[in-house]
Amino acid sequence: MNAIATASSLTLPIFCSRASKFETKRGLKGGFGVFAVFGEVEKKSAWGPLFNVEEPRSKVPEYKGKVLDIYQAIEVARYDIQYLDWRARQDVLSIVLLHEKVVEVLNPLAREYKSIGTMKKELAELHEELADAHRQVHKSEARVGTALDKLAYMEELVNDKLLQERSTTEIAPTSSPPSTSARFVDTEKRRKPRKRLNVSGPVQSYHPNLKNFWYPVAFSTDLKADTMVPIECFEEPWVIFRGKNGEPGCVQNTCAHRACPLDLGSVNEGRIQCPYHGWEYNTDGKCEKMPSTRQQNVKIKSIPCFEKEGMIWIWPGNDAPTATLPSLLPPSGFVIHAELVMELPVEHGLLLDNLLDLAHAPFTHTSTFAKGWVVPSLVKFLTPSSGLQGYWDPYPIDMEFKPPCMVLSTIGISKPGKLEGQNTSQCATHLHQLHVCLPSSKHKTRLLYRMSLDFAPLLKHIPFMQYLWRHFAEQVLNEDLRLVLGQQERMNNGANIWNFPVSYDKLGVRYRLWREALEQGAKQLPFSKKNENE
């Protein structure tokens, strides 16, 4: 019964079981109750709760006369499995009731009214019916196993379709006899080898196309009028500071005179001063002061820099910057409680792979936010046929990858660390997270983290709360880092870190396909907003 138990949480209308002579009495519509008969008195069976499962055929989606895409077909297949599980439970119920009948026949009190010959005849009939019922259970279990194989195969088709960058195909729903399904799956698997992503090392230099985006590099609160923020982006050193008008600027972190790091100096009247000989540069990179020598026309490299919604953005690419910047603010009703910046020794794509994957939480984060989480029998990420956003099932978490390197997530909680409900709308309180993975170098990422809550506003005013949030964030990251660093080491030695993607890897796979298309210079990037509206 392992296949039946595995499928009990899932759900094509396959009707393949005969009714038992010990059929249950109907209760409420769509369900049934269980009763055992002893003489003329009806007693409710203790097995009732196990079999009191709603009949699922009423929930099967209606697609009459319509053409299904692969995602709708998978949903119908799930209802098929749920129906088969429900049918199998009724078959098992038949066995339970037959066994109770055997007990009734063998009841010593019944011997006063029945002859030995009559009891033998009844037992022989019951034995035959039990054998039929057991055979029926084995058939039901086989059907569930076949249906699960078909569902897994359909999910493979989805991954293969994505990996091959094919357009979404439409297929008509079909139902083949269970006896041929297993052969069909095996034949198709031999005919179409599983496709894989190839993300293996060593890590190469970043493609120039990846630079042509606005990148958030710092929080506004960290850039005071007389301070500077040194950063590394795509293996180039930069320094950010505020000019005379208070607007941020980003210049090369290397003095034109003797290549001294400018961030070792200071900011004076909106200019950054080199600590070596005092040369001063404005936010456009022009040297405005050269103490102890004649002023010359000297300029260092600068890139577009902009401030929006509490963040400092830069455009490191060679193309002209776009006119608009994406919004990364939390939804209405949320208050920002923490803004943290960390430097991590991992390639930014590996960190994004990790952040876009929630299925690892019950195994990796057992000492922090996922402590006590049960391991679901099936984890899914549900998303439009074209899109980089969706929600996790069974976890009440909405998630979106926002190009080029941002992850937004909203988590439904009752209190920090505890999950409740089936989706975020059913939860009373929520935590919103922003992760920005800035590609500093081939083996280093600058992580910007923003946390917002729609409850407990007083937490924002507790002294030193920022340090507590940072401590918790570092604990969570450390649980991930030991694994991701291991991946990075093996990738640099030639291993493929995306060798066998499965269904819950959907969002991570789509990120990798988006990045691959970008680096190959595709005219239309996959999962873009244009595709989402088609």
PDB file of all heavy atoms in Angstrom, residues 11-41:
ATOM      1  N   THR A  11      -4.543  14.272  -6.567  1.00  0.00           N
ATOM      2  CA  THR A  11      -5.821  13.836  -7.123  1.00  0.00           C
ATOM      3  C   THR A  11      -5.668  13.536  -8.574  1.00  0.00           C
ATOM      4  O   THR A  11      -5.232  12.716  -9.041  1.00  0.00           O
ATOM      5  CB  THR A  11      -6.895  14.955  -7.102  1.00  0.00           C
ATOM      6  OG1 THR A  11      -6.719  15.779  -8.148  1.00  0.00           O
ATOM      7  CG2 THR A  11      -7.186  15.336  -5.775  1.00  0.00           C
ATOM      8  N   LEU A  12      -7.868  12.376 -14.155  1.00  0.00           N
ATOM      9  CA  LEU A  12      -8.502  11.973 -15.257  1.00  0.00           C
ATOM     10  C   LEU A  12      -9.481  10.930 -14.808  1.00  0.00           C
ATOM     11  O   LEU A  12      -9.059   9.992 -14.219  1.00  0.00           O
ATOM     12  CB  LEU A  12      -7.493  11.323 -16.164  1.00  0.00           C
ATOM     13  CG  LEU A  12      -7.423  11.911 -17.527  1.00  0.00           C
ATOM     14  CD1 LEU A  12      -7.060  13.159 -17.849  1.00  0.00           C
ATOM     15  CD2 LEU A  12      -6.767  10.850 -18.253  1.00  0.00           C
ATOM     16  N   PRO A  13     -10.331  11.092 -14.981  1.00  0.00           N
ATOM     17  CA  PRO A  13     -11.392  10.254 -14.449  1.00  0.00           C
ATOM     18  C   PRO A  13     -11.274   8.835 -14.959  1.00  0.00           C
ATOM     19  O   PRO A  13     -11.718   8.536 -16.051  1.00  0.00           O
ATOM     20  CB  PRO A  13     -12.653  10.955 -14.943  1.00  0.00           C
ATOM     21  CG  PRO A  13     -12.206  11.729 -16.129  1.00  0.00           C
ATOM     22  CD  PRO A  13     -10.779  12.065 -15.935  1.00  0.00           C
ATOM     23  N   ILE A  14     -10.629   7.926 -14.216  1.00  0.00           N
ATOM     24  CA  ILE A  14     -10.521   6.510 -14.554  1.00  0.00           C
ATOM     25  C   ILE A  14     -11.406   5.753 -13.573  1.00  0.00           C
ATOM     26  O   ILE A  14     -11.180   5.772 -12.369  1.00  0.00           O
ATOM     27  CB  ILE A  14      -9.063   6.017 -14.427  1.00  0.00           C
ATOM     28  CG1 ILE A  14      -8.173   6.828 -15.384  1.00  0.00           C
ATOM     29  CG2 ILE A  14      -8.963   4.546 -14.710  1.00  0.00           C
ATOM     30  CD1 ILE A  14      -6.709   6.502 -15.259  1.00  0.00           C
ATOM     31  N   PHE A  15     -12.397   5.089 -14.063  1.00  0.00           N
ATOM     32  CA  PHE A  15     -13.346   4.393 -13.201  1.00  0.00           C
ATOM     33  C   PHE A  15     -13.137   2.896 -13.401  1.00  0.00           C
ATOM     34  O   PHE A  15     -13.415   2.354 -14.462  1.00  0.00           O
ATOM     35  CB  PHE A  15     -14.777   4.794 -13.553  1.00  0.00           C
ATOM     36  CG  PHE A  15     -14.963   6.274 -13.571  1.00  0.00           C
ATOM     37  CD1 PHE A  15     -15.005   6.973 -14.767  1.00  0.00           C
ATOM     38  CD2 PHE A  15     -15.043   6.981 -12.388  1.00  0.00           C
ATOM     39  CE1 PHE A  15     -15.162   8.343 -14.790  1.00  0.00           C
ATOM     40  CE2 PHE A  15     -15.204   8.363 -12.401  1.00  0.00           C
ATOM     41  CZ  PHE A  15     -15.260   9.044 -13.596  1.00  0.00           C
ATOM     42  N   CYS A  16     -12.627   2.237 -12.382  1.00  0.00           N
ATOM     43  CA  CYS A  16     -12.159   0.873 -12.619  1.00  0.00           C
ATOM     44  C   CYS A  16     -12.304  -0.020 -11.395  1.00  0.00           C
ATOM     45  O   CYS A  16     -11.411  -0.770 -11.085  1.00  0.00           O
ATOM     46  CB  CYS A  16     -10.706   0.920 -13.061  1.00  0.00           C
ATOM     47  SG  CYS A  16      -9.687   1.936 -11.992  1.00  0.00           S
ATOM     48  N   SER A  17     -13.358   0.080 -10.683  1.00  0.00           N
ATOM     49  CA  SER A  17     -13.518  -0.796  -9.520  1.00  0.00           C
ATOM     50  C   SER A  17     -14.975  -1.217  -9.387  1.00  0.00           C
ATOM     51  O   SER A  17     -15.875  -0.390  -9.485  1.00  0.00           O
ATOM     52  CB  SER A  17     -13.070  -0.053  -8.255  1.00  0.00           C
ATOM     53  OG  SER A  17     -13.261  -0.870  -7.147  1.00  0.00           O
ATOM     54  N   ARG A  18     -15.201  -2.511  -9.163  1.00  0.00           N
ATOM     55  CA  ARG A  18     -16.566  -2.990  -9.005  1.00  0.00           C
ATOM     56  C   ARG A  18     -17.052  -2.710  -7.596  1.00  0.00           C
ATOM     57  O   ARG A  18     -16.275  -2.603  -6.653  1.00  0.00           O
ATOM     58  CB  ARG A  18     -16.631  -4.493  -9.296  1.00  0.00           C
ATOM     59  CG  ARG A  18     -15.863  -5.332  -8.279  1.00  0.00           C
ATOM     60  CD  ARG A  18     -16.010  -6.813  -8.601  1.00  0.00           C
ATOM     61  NE  ARG A  18     -15.290  -7.634  -7.642  1.00  0.00           N
ATOM     62  CZ  ARG A  18     -15.759  -7.991  -6.473  1.00  0.00           C
ATOM     63  NH1 ARG A  18     -16.961  -7.564  -6.102  1.00  0.00           N
ATOM     64  NH2 ARG A  18     -15.056  -8.753  -5.659  1.00  0.00           N
ATOM     65  N   ALA A  19     -18.340  -2.609  -7.445  1.00  0.00           N
ATOM     66  CA  ALA A  19     -18.926  -2.351  -6.124  1.00  0.00           C
ATOM     67  C   ALA A  19     -18.963  -3.636  -5.321  1.00  0.00           C
ATOM     68  O   ALA A  19     -19.273  -4.703  -5.825  1.00  0.00           O
ATOM     69  CB  ALA A  19     -20.330  -1.783  -6.280  1.00  0.00           C
ATOM     70  N   SER A  20     -18.623  -3.532  -4.052  1.00  0.00           N
ATOM     71  CA  SER A  20     -18.659  -4.701  -3.176  1.00  0.00           C
ATOM     72  C   SER A  20     -20.072  -4.914  -2.646  1.00  0.00           C
ATOM     73  O   SER A  20     -20.858  -3.982  -2.513  1.00  0.00           O
ATOM     74  CB  SER A  20     -17.686  -4.483  -2.006  1.00  0.00           C
ATOM     75  OG  SER A  20     -17.889  -5.446  -1.029  1.00  0.00           O
ATOM     76  N   LYS A  21     -20.363  -6.171  -2.324  1.00  0.00           N
ATOM     77  CA  LYS A  21     -21.682  -6.440  -1.745  1.00  0.00           C
ATOM     78  C   LYS A  21     -21.787  -5.869  -0.343  1.00  0.00           C
ATOM     79  O   LYS A  21     -22.865  -5.778   0.212  1.00  0.00           O
ATOM     80  CB  LYS A  21     -21.951  -7.937  -1.754  1.00  0.00           C
ATOM     81  CG  LYS A  21     -21.059  -8.717  -0.779  1.00  0.00           C
ATOM     82  CD  LYS A  21     -21.187 -10.208  -0.951  1.00  0.00           C
ATOM     83  CE  LYS A  21     -22.580 -10.686  -0.659  1.00  0.00           C
ATOM     84  NZ  LYS A  21     -22.731 -12.134  -0.788  1.00  0.00           N
ATOM     85  N   PHE A  22     -20.610  -5.507   0.210  1.00  0.00           N
ATOM     86  CA  PHE A  22     -20.615  -4.875   1.526  1.00  0.00           C
ATOM     87  C   PHE A  22     -20.388  -3.379   1.363  1.00  0.00           C
ATOM     88  O   PHE A  22     -19.586  -2.776   2.039  1.00  0.00           O
ATOM     89  CB  PHE A  22     -19.501  -5.480   2.406  1.00  0.00           C
ATOM     90  CG  PHE A  22     -19.740  -6.926   2.742  1.00  0.00           C
ATOM     91  CD1 PHE A  22     -19.163  -7.919   1.983  1.00  0.00           C
ATOM     92  CD2 PHE A  22     -20.562  -7.271   3.799  1.00  0.00           C
ATOM     93  CE1 PHE A  22     -19.379  -9.241   2.277  1.00  0.00           C
ATOM     94  CE2 PHE A  22     -20.779  -8.604   4.094  1.00  0.00           C
ATOM     95  CZ  PHE A  22     -20.193  -9.601   3.329  1.00  0.00           C
ATOM     96  N   GLU A  23     -21.087  -2.790   0.399  1.00  0.00           N
ATOM     97  CA  GLU A  23     -20.936  -1.360   0.133  1.00  0.00           C
ATOM     98  C   GLU A  23     -21.369  -0.568   1.369  1.00  0.00           C
ATOM     99  O   GLU A  23     -22.292  -0.954   2.084  1.00  0.00           O
ATOM    100  CB  GLU A  23     -21.800  -0.959  -1.067  1.00  0.00           C
ATOM    101  CG  GLU A  23     -21.508   0.423  -1.604  1.00  0.00           C
ATOM    102  CD  GLU A  23     -20.120   0.526  -2.213  1.00  0.00           C
ATOM    103  OE1 GLU A  23     -19.658  -0.485  -2.756  1.00  0.00           O
ATOM    104  OE2 GLU A  23     -19.519   1.604  -2.115  1.00  0.00           O
ATOM    105  N   THR A  24     -20.700   0.555   1.586  1.00  0.00           N
ATOM    106  CA  THR A  24     -20.997   1.350   2.778  1.00  0.00           C
ATOM    107  C   THR A  24     -22.295   2.104   2.607  1.00  0.00           C
ATOM    108  O   THR A  24     -22.733   2.408   1.512  1.00  0.00           O
ATOM    109  CB  THR A  24     -19.867   2.359   3.004  1.00  0.00           C
ATOM    110  OG1 THR A  24     -19.761   3.158   1.855  1.00  0.00           O
ATOM    111  CG2 THR A  24     -18.552   1.670   3.250  1.00  0.00           C
ATOM    112  N   LYS A  25     -22.879   2.435   3.718  1.00  0.00           N
ATOM    113  CA  LYS A  25     -24.070   3.277   3.701  1.00  0.00           C
ATOM    114  C   LYS A  25     -23.676   4.708   3.427  1.00  0.00           C
ATOM    115  O   LYS A  25     -22.717   5.219   3.972  1.00  0.00           O
ATOM    116  CB  LYS A  25     -24.799   3.192   5.035  1.00  0.00           C
ATOM    117  CG  LYS A  25     -25.447   1.834   5.257  1.00  0.00           C
ATOM    118  CD  LYS A  25     -26.386   1.894   6.444  1.00  0.00           C
ATOM    119  CE  LYS A  25     -27.155   0.579   6.613  1.00  0.00           C
ATOM    120  NZ  LYS A  25     -28.116   0.653   7.699  1.00  0.00           N
ATOM    121  N   ARG A  26     -24.421   5.365   2.566  1.00  0.00           N
ATOM    122  CA  ARG A  26     -24.110   6.733   2.205  1.00  0.00           C
ATOM    123  C   ARG A  26     -24.458   7.693   3.330  1.00  0.00           C
ATOM    124  O   ARG A  26     -25.521   7.578   3.944  1.00  0.00           O
ATOM    125  CB  ARG A  26     -24.864   7.140   0.931  1.00  0.00           C
ATOM    126  CG  ARG A  26     -24.470   6.298  -0.270  1.00  0.00           C
ATOM    127  CD  ARG A  26     -23.044   6.598  -0.705  1.00  0.00           C
ATOM    128  NE  ARG A  26     -22.620   5.681  -1.746  1.00  0.00           N
ATOM    129  CZ  ARG A  26     -21.448   5.724  -2.310  1.00  0.00           C
ATOM    130  NH1 ARG A  26     -20.579   6.608  -1.904  1.00  0.00           N
ATOM    131  NH2 ARG A  26     -21.115   4.867  -3.259  1.00  0.00           N
ATOM    132  N   GLY A  27     -23.566   8.620   3.537  1.00  0.00           N
ATOM    133  CA  GLY A  27     -23.833   9.653   4.520  1.00  0.00           C
ATOM    134  C   GLY A  27     -24.088  10.954   3.809  1.00  0.00           C
ATOM    135  O   GLY A  27     -24.942  11.052   2.954  1.00  0.00           O
ATOM    136  N   LEU A  28     -23.265  11.964   4.134  1.00  0.00           N
ATOM    137  CA  LEU A  28     -23.410  13.242   3.459  1.00  0.00           C
ATOM    138  C   LEU A  28     -23.014  13.107   2.007  1.00  0.00           C
ATOM    139  O   LEU A  28     -22.237  12.237   1.635  1.00  0.00           O
ATOM    140  CB  LEU A  28     -22.508  14.291   4.145  1.00  0.00           C
ATOM    141  CG  LEU A  28     -22.881  14.613   5.597  1.00  0.00           C
ATOM    142  CD1 LEU A  28     -21.858  15.570   6.177  1.00  0.00           C
ATOM    143  CD2 LEU A  28     -24.290  15.197   5.672  1.00  0.00           C
ATOM    144  N   LYS A  29     -23.495  14.019   1.175  1.00  0.00           N
ATOM    145  CA  LYS A  29     -23.200  13.971  -0.249  1.00  0.00           C
ATOM    146  C   LYS A  29     -21.709  14.091  -0.477  1.00  0.00           C
ATOM    147  O   LYS A  29     -21.050  14.969   0.025  1.00  0.00           O
ATOM    148  CB  LYS A  29     -23.917  15.124  -0.964  1.00  0.00           C
ATOM    149  CG  LYS A  29     -23.730  15.088  -2.471  1.00  0.00           C
ATOM    150  CD  LYS A  29     -24.494  16.218  -3.137  1.00  0.00           C
ATOM    151  CE  LYS A  29     -24.318  16.162  -4.643  1.00  0.00           C
ATOM    152  NZ  LYS A  29     -25.035  17.260  -5.302  1.00  0.00           N
ATOM    153  N   GLY A  30     -21.160  13.159  -1.295  1.00  0.00           N
ATOM    154  CA  GLY A  30     -19.752  13.180  -1.600  1.00  0.00           C
ATOM    155  C   GLY A  30     -18.906  12.417  -0.599  1.00  0.00           C
ATOM    156  O   GLY A  30     -17.713  12.252  -0.775  1.00  0.00           O
ATOM    157  N   GLY A  31     -19.472  11.924   0.495  1.00  0.00           N
ATOM    158  CA  GLY A  31     -18.710  11.173   1.477  1.00  0.00           C
ATOM    159  C   GLY A  31     -19.454   9.914   1.856  1.00  0.00           C
ATOM    160  O   GLY A  31     -20.512   9.605   1.322  1.00  0.00           O
ATOM    161  N   PHE A  32     -18.912   9.147   2.809  1.00  0.00           N
ATOM    162  CA  PHE A  32     -19.628   7.962   3.247  1.00  0.00           C
ATOM    163  C   PHE A  32     -19.222   7.622   4.661  1.00  0.00           C
ATOM    164  O   PHE A  32     -18.137   7.968   5.116  1.00  0.00           O
ATOM    165  CB  PHE A  32     -19.376   6.769   2.308  1.00  0.00           C
ATOM    166  CG  PHE A  32     -17.928   6.452   2.111  1.00  0.00           C
ATOM    167  CD1 PHE A  32     -17.248   5.644   2.995  1.00  0.00           C
ATOM    168  CD2 PHE A  32     -17.250   6.971   1.028  1.00  0.00           C
ATOM    169  CE1 PHE A  32     -15.931   5.346   2.796  1.00  0.00           C
ATOM    170  CE2 PHE A  32     -15.929   6.683   0.828  1.00  0.00           C
ATOM    171  CZ  PHE A  32     -15.262   5.863   1.717  1.00  0.00           C
ATOM    172  N   GLY A  33     -20.103   6.941   5.349  1.00  0.00           N
ATOM    173  CA  GLY A  33     -19.814   6.466   6.683  1.00  0.00           C
ATOM    174  C   GLY A  33     -19.586   4.971   6.653  1.00  0.00           C
ATOM    175  O   GLY A  33     -19.911   4.293   5.693  1.00  0.00           O
ATOM    176  N   VAL A  34     -19.033   4.418   7.718  1.00  0.00           N
ATOM    177  CA  VAL A  34     -18.701   2.999   7.771  1.00  0.00           C
ATOM    178  C   VAL A  34     -19.481   2.347   8.896  1.00  0.00           C
ATOM    179  O   VAL A  34     -19.441   2.811  10.032  1.00  0.00           O
ATOM    180  CB  VAL A  34     -17.185   2.814   8.004  1.00  0.00           C
ATOM    181  CG1 VAL A  34     -16.839   1.351   7.965  1.00  0.00           C
ATOM    182  CG2 VAL A  34     -16.407   3.582   6.952  1.00  0.00           C
ATOM    183  N   PHE A  35     -20.186   1.250   8.590  1.00  0.00           N
ATOM    184  CA  PHE A  35     -20.952   0.535   9.593  1.00  0.00           C
ATOM    185  C   PHE A  35     -20.695  -0.962   9.441  1.00  0.00           C
ATOM    186  O   PHE A  35     -20.548  -1.477   8.330  1.00  0.00           O
ATOM    187  CB  PHE A  35     -22.458   0.788   9.421  1.00  0.00           C
ATOM    188  CG  PHE A  35     -22.846   2.219   9.668  1.00  0.00           C
ATOM    189  CD1 PHE A  35     -22.846   3.142   8.636  1.00  0.00           C
ATOM    190  CD2 PHE A  35     -23.189   2.656  10.934  1.00  0.00           C
ATOM    191  CE1 PHE A  35     -23.190   4.462   8.846  1.00  0.00           C
ATOM    192  CE2 PHE A  35     -23.532   3.980  11.153  1.00  0.00           C
ATOM    193  CZ  PHE A  35     -23.546   4.871  10.114  1.00  0.00           C
ATOM    194  N   ALA A  36     -20.590  -1.651  10.531  1.00  0.00           N
ATOM    195  CA  ALA A  36     -20.476  -3.109  10.516  1.00  0.00           C
ATOM    196  C   ALA A  36     -21.787  -3.684  11.041  1.00  0.00           C
ATOM    197  O   ALA A  36     -22.430  -3.111  11.922  1.00  0.00           O
ATOM    198  CB  ALA A  36     -19.318  -3.559  11.395  1.00  0.00           C
ATOM    199  N   VAL A  37     -22.187  -4.823  10.514  1.00  0.00           N
ATOM    200  CA  VAL A  37     -23.470  -5.425  10.870  1.00  0.00           C
ATOM    201  C   VAL A  37     -23.238  -6.646  11.747  1.00  0.00           C
ATOM    202  O   VAL A  37     -22.499  -7.555  11.383  1.00  0.00           O
ATOM    203  CB  VAL A  37     -24.242  -5.836   9.596  1.00  0.00           C
ATOM    204  CG1 VAL A  37     -25.566  -6.448   9.976  1.00  0.00           C
ATOM    205  CG2 VAL A  37     -24.443  -4.622   8.694  1.00  0.00           C
ATOM    206  N   PHE A  38     -23.800  -6.659  12.910  1.00  0.00           N
ATOM    207  CA  PHE A  38     -23.738  -7.794  13.825  1.00  0.00           C
ATOM    208  C   PHE A  38     -25.166  -8.207  14.140  1.00  0.00           C
ATOM    209  O   PHE A  38     -25.864  -7.541  14.909  1.00  0.00           O
ATOM    210  CB  PHE A  38     -23.014  -7.421  15.125  1.00  0.00           C
ATOM    211  CG  PHE A  38     -21.561  -7.109  14.917  1.00  0.00           C
ATOM    212  CD1 PHE A  38     -21.166  -5.826  14.612  1.00  0.00           C
ATOM    213  CD2 PHE A  38     -20.596  -8.098  14.993  1.00  0.00           C
ATOM    214  CE1 PHE A  38     -19.845  -5.517  14.421  1.00  0.00           C
ATOM    215  CE2 PHE A  38     -19.261  -7.798  14.809  1.00  0.00           C
ATOM    216  CZ  PHE A  38     -18.889  -6.515  14.525  1.00  0.00           C
ATOM    217  N   GLY A  39     -25.601  -9.312  13.531  1.00  0.00           N
ATOM    218  CA  GLY A  39     -26.981  -9.727  13.701  1.00  0.00           C
ATOM    219  C   GLY A  39     -27.897  -8.665  13.141  1.00  0.00           C
ATOM    220  O   GLY A  39     -27.758  -8.251  12.013  1.00  0.00           O
ATOM    221  N   GLU A  40     -28.816  -8.177  13.946  1.00  0.00           N
ATOM    222  CA  GLU A  40     -29.775  -7.174  13.508  1.00  0.00           C
ATOM    223  C   GLU A  40     -29.399  -5.775  13.996  1.00  0.00           C
ATOM    224  O   GLU A  40     -30.086  -4.818  13.727  1.00  0.00           O
ATOM    225  CB  GLU A  40     -31.182  -7.529  14.038  1.00  0.00           C
ATOM    226  CG  GLU A  40     -31.691  -8.861  13.546  1.00  0.00           C
ATOM    227  CD  GLU A  40     -31.835  -8.885  12.045  1.00  0.00           C
ATOM    228  OE1 GLU A  40     -32.197  -7.838  11.470  1.00  0.00           O
ATOM    229  OE2 GLU A  40     -31.560  -9.933  11.437  1.00  0.00           O
ATOM    230  N   VAL A  41     -28.249  -5.672  14.726  1.00  0.00           N
ATOM    231  CA  VAL A  41     -27.881  -4.391  15.320  1.00  0.00           C
ATOM    232  C   VAL A  41     -26.720  -3.791  14.539  1.00  0.00           C
ATOM    233  O   VAL A  41     -25.730  -4.461  14.277  1.00  0.00           O
ATOM    234  CB  VAL A  41     -27.479  -4.562  16.801  1.00  0.00           C
ATOM    235  CG1 VAL A  41     -27.117  -3.207  17.409  1.00  0.00           C
ATOM    236  CG2 VAL A  41     -28.622  -5.224  17.564  1.00  0.00           C
TER     237      VAL A  41
END
